[in-house]
Each structure stands twice: as C-alpha cells, then as structure tokens.
Amino acid sequence: MPSASLLADPILSIPASAMPLISPNALLHAHLKQSPPRRPSNRAPSEVRPVQLNVGSLTHCNGSSLVKIGATTIVCGVRAEVLPVSEIPSFRVTKTSATYNPTAPVARDNRFVDGEQEEEYGAIPLYHLLVPNIELATGCSPKHPANTAPSVEAQSISQRLLSLLHTSQLVRTSDLEIIYTPPAETQDTELGINADPQLKAYWTLYIDMMCISYGGSIFDAAWLALYAALRDTSLPKAWWDPDLEQVLCSAEVEDAQKLRLRGMPVPSTFGVFIPEQRLVTVNGGDDQYWILMDMDGFEEEACIETGTITVDAGGNATPLSILRIEKSGGPFVDVEQMTKIATFAEQRLLQWKGVLENALMKT
C-alpha cells in the first residue's frame, strides 16, 4: 500500500500530461498570467502555429493537398466531373457567362477586375458546381471515433466551407463552362440557325477532405487544404462533339488548364480565454481575458467565446478587405479588439502566401 507521503505528492500523483484533461482552465491561466504571457505550447497569445503544405501528392485527383498546422492534419482531393446542361432540370441559358481568351495571361491575385459581372457567379451555387465535404470520423480525435456517421461538426464545417466559397467567389464560372461554337458555314438566318457559342456542360468539382489528426482550428486548416488543392487543380481540355452529342476530354496532360482563382481568402479563428474566477466580471485589469489566435484542441475547450475573421487582398496594390466575421458566445470582443484581430489575420495571410508559393514551386 502506497504511503500517505506519496499520495500527497502532486508530482507523483498527477502527471503533467494529464493537467489539460483535469483542469484546462487553470493550466491555461497559470501560463497566460506570466509576464509576458505564454501559452502551454510556448506561443504568445497572437502567435500562430507553423504550417506544412504539400500539393499534388494524389495522382488520381485533378488536384490535391496535404496540410499540417500544429497537430491538425488534413488531406484534400479535388475530383472533376462533367455535368451536361441537358441533365439540369429547367435549364434555359444556352450562351456563355463571359467571353475571354483562355491563352491570355491572367493576374491570379486580382479579384475584382476580371471581366465577369458579379451576378454571373450565380450558376455555381444554383447548380451546385462546388461540393466540399470533410470527414472527421476517421479516429482523428477521441471525440470523432472511426467508422461512425458524419458528426454535426463535420456537416457544419462543410457548410461553412461552401458558404465561404460562394461569398469569396473564389472559382470563376467561366473556368467551369464547356462551350461549343458551331462552324460559321452552318449559320442560316432564314432558318434561325446561328453560329453563336453554346453552353453545353459544366465542370462540377467535388472537394473531399479527410482529417487525419484533429488538433484545433480545424476550419482554418480545412480551408487552406481546399484552397491549395484548387490551386493545384487542372481541368482536362474538353469539347462538345456534335456527331456523338456528348462531351469529350483530351488525355494529354499539356492540354489541361489550371483554375484562375480570385485572390486568396484567409480565415483566422480566435478564442477569448477568461479565468474561471473572473467570468462574472466584465471590467477589470489587463489580465482579465486574453485573445488567443490559432487555438489548439486544448485551448478550444477552455475558451468560452470564439470567432473567425476572413480577410483577403486582391493584389499587391489592393488594400486588405474583410470578407466575413463569425462570432459566437460572450461580449468581450468589441470593435477595437476586432481591429487588432484583423491585423493578426493579415500577418497570417502573408504566412500562408509564402507557404503556398513554396509548395507550388516544388511541383
């Protein structure tokens, strides 16, 4: 039987690895009340975790990526399928949404001056041409055991990814169109036959993600995996065969074309940590609460107020723009605090740009 002195010794009775499970709030408070405040991971409250990114690892996909942010790891694959307009119920539009020269160089970072009107983006949400989905039931964490039905969190993240795709208008409708231009000699104005370009089909992009390890800020990692996979995506050259009345695709890799994405939206998830003894106090000292950027799984459980701010910069000369702000729980983040968070988000945008460019250079 162990002696009373051994049971009373906290070092022997409670290992350090168990503290996040026993009292995450007390452990996090003990670190943050230091001067300067540091998290258990030895990061400052506004410091984000390093990012590891690889693209093009999955050869059977049109585009793929592997993202690791801290302990969070996500693999993403993009699969393109042809959707003929004849299979779309009540489809009426037969002309293209925009005219452009596919061989002309395009500034990838310019979101607003691209020749496409804003209302022309409606085909993507209307016909569900972008379908993101994330799977958490892979044993990635104790909360998500393997071989179970999709959780509410997985469905919520998939919907948020889809909403951000539509809000940012990241993918151009013209990149997903398959156009047929009849020969000029077939035009006959008396019979009402013209040689105008006709929209015959769309590309539908299925963006499937699998979370291998869940270590916090899952939405941010999922979006980076999605964005990197879309940057890596190449669509085969496709055309309409009037004799076969179907879409044909070229098997030549050099004929494939990359997607021309608009800008680079970057979400930054944050949390507000409040010590347990100060939860009922609104006004206090500087140590009353802390805003933590890029939380890990342990910190997410200790924060009572969370949110995500998504920023984007169209190009080097384009000022930073805020695409959306999401927040749930708590009254501690005001306009002034949100301005500081936007500054942290801008720093993360620069981090992601550097990581992405390095990954693309290796492919």
Side-chain angles (χ1 to χ4, degrees), residues 40 46 49 70 74 92 110 160 172 198 204 207 225 233 267 314 323 330 337 345:
S46 61
R49 295 172 291 181
I74 295 179
R92 291 291 181 267
N110 197 331
R160 289 176 62 193
R172 302 168 188 261
Q198 301 173 8
T204 301
I207 311 167
T233 297
L323 294 183
Q337 295 289 354

Side-chain angles (χ1 to χ4, degrees), residues 247-258:
V247 175
L248 301 180
C249 297
S250 173
E252 301 297 330
V253 177
E254 56 270 16
D255 292 338
Q257 294 186 0
K258 294 282 188 180

Side-chain angles (χ1 to χ4, degrees), residues 44-45 48 78 105 127 139-140 149 172 192 223 227 252 300 317 321 348 351:
V48 298
V78 179
Y127 304 132
C140 57
R172 302 168 188 261
W223 177 261
Y227 183 87
E252 301 297 330
E300 285 182 340
S321 61
R348 192 177 209 191
Q351 178 202 33

Side-chain angles (χ1 to χ4, degrees), residues 72-124:
T72 300
T73 304
I74 295 179
V75 60
C76 177
V78 179
R79 174 170 49 91
E81 293 187 2
V82 175
L83 174 64
V85 296
S86 58
E87 297 182 5
I88 301 177
S90 304
F91 185 83
R92 291 291 181 267
V93 179
T94 58
K95 293 186 178 181
T96 63
S97 63
T99 57
Y100 70 99
N101 181 6
T103 61
V106 177
R108 191 181 287 275
D109 284 336
N110 197 331
R111 293 184 61 246
F112 305 105
V113 184
D114 53 22
E116 291 186 27
Q117 299 299 321
E118 189 173 336
E119 59 271 12
E120 292 170 348
Y121 184 83
I124 291 181

